[in-house]
Amino acid sequence: MHRSIPIMSLCLLAVLAVPAAAADRPVPRAQQWPTHTQPLRYNWNGVYAGIHAGGAFDRFTGVTRKSRNETLLGGQIGYNVQTGGMVYGLEGDVSMNGFGKGSSRNAVGTSADTRYVGTVKARAGVAFDRVLVYGTGGLAYGNIKATNNGLSKTKSKVGYVLGGGVEYGITENLSAKVEYNYVSLGKQNFQFGSARTKVGVNEHLVKAGVNYRF
């Protein structure tokens, strides 16, 4: 009986030691997987300014020279607001014409030319990250020069512009665009002596340019 008491004591200590050892064992940490965040979308917000070049394809009515194709150079300034995938904005630009020659160089009678054209237009488009596809429309203004028998007169005219384009974000601040504008300046009366000529002009503008966002 006396021998069994130490044996029973050892067994009791062993049983009590098992939970104690388990309590001292470190609790395994939950597996931590690296978090994957969505890549930042291209930011079209803010003020921008840039330059452009391209071609102006003028079509006239009421004159002998019916068309004139010229190179244009100009600049633009605007502001964008981005809401999700939609981009809205306002833009103003001015393009100087007069770097080319018309299709009827030796025409007699009355001829016409557009010296410059400017626009103030709204833009709305859809952004696919760095690619922005947009439409545009608004107010157009320009200066028309009419010539008859060596006598020239110029008048300013207000009309409208419609168009669209694609812009691509090259860097965080720099983007490049290609844009088409249809400009209608309506008709304007020119008086040459006793004869009055009503000159109408429509322009097809194709522009490539770059913008810098501040």
Side-chain angles (χ1 to χ4, degrees):
M1 182 65 181
H2 294 290
R3 293 181 179 179
S4 62
I5 291 176
I7 295 175
M8 293 177 62
S9 299
L10 291 175
C11 291
L12 181 59
L13 290 174
V15 171
L16 294 176
V18 171
D24 294 337
R25 185 177 301 170
V27 178
R29 299 179 62 183
Q31 180 67 43
Q32 294 183 352
W33 299 96
T35 58
H36 296 281
T37 58
Q38 288 281 52
L40 295 177
R41 295 178 63 88
Y42 192 78
N43 184 9
W44 292 97
N45 284 301
V47 178
Y48 63 88
I51 58 174
H52 64 262
F57 307 94
D58 302 341
R59 300 297 178 261
F60 299 101
T61 60
V63 297
T64 305
R65 178 181 289 179
K66 300 296 183 182
S67 64
R68 187 177 181 91
N69 303 329
E70 301 176 313
T71 300
L72 61 85
L73 297 171
Q76 64 274 351
I77 186 170
Y79 180 77
N80 286 329
V81 175
Q82 185 172 3
T83 305
M86 300 298 297
V87 179
Y88 308 94
L90 292 173
E91 181 179 284
D93 67 7
V94 177
S95 302
M96 302 301 298
N97 297 7
F99 301 96
K101 296 182 177 180
S103 60
S104 304
R105 182 185 298 182
N106 299 320
V108 295
T110 303
S111 61
D113 184 19
T114 304
R115 310 302 299 276
Y116 69 85
V117 62
T119 67
V120 179
K121 55 199 176 185
R123 297 204 315 171
V126 181
F128 303 94
D129 195 15
R130 289 180 175 268
V131 178
L132 174 63
V133 181
Y134 63 90
T136 186
L139 181 72
Y141 58 93
N143 183 270
I144 304 172
K145 177 182 177 182
T147 303
N148 182 279
N149 295 325
L151 179 63
S152 297
K153 294 183 177 182
T154 60
K155 290 187 177 182
S156 298
K157 192 72 171 66
V158 176
Y160 66 88
V161 58
L162 296 172
V166 178
E167 192 166 356
Y168 178 77
I170 302 172
T171 67
E172 181 180 352
N173 300 101
L174 188 66
S175 62
K177 71 171 186 176
V178 177
E179 182 175 307
Y180 165 79
N181 291 160
Y182 171 78
V183 174
S184 176
L185 296 179
K187 296 182 178 181
Q188 183 69 281
N189 289 320
F190 288 87
Q191 189 78 33
F192 294 101
S194 59
R196 175 178 293 182
T197 302
K198 182 175 287 188
V199 178
V201 57
N202 298 316
E203 284 193 301
H204 301 272
L205 308 179
V206 179
K207 299 180 283 188
V210 292
N211 287 323
Y212 183 86
R213 275 185 305 286
F214 299 94

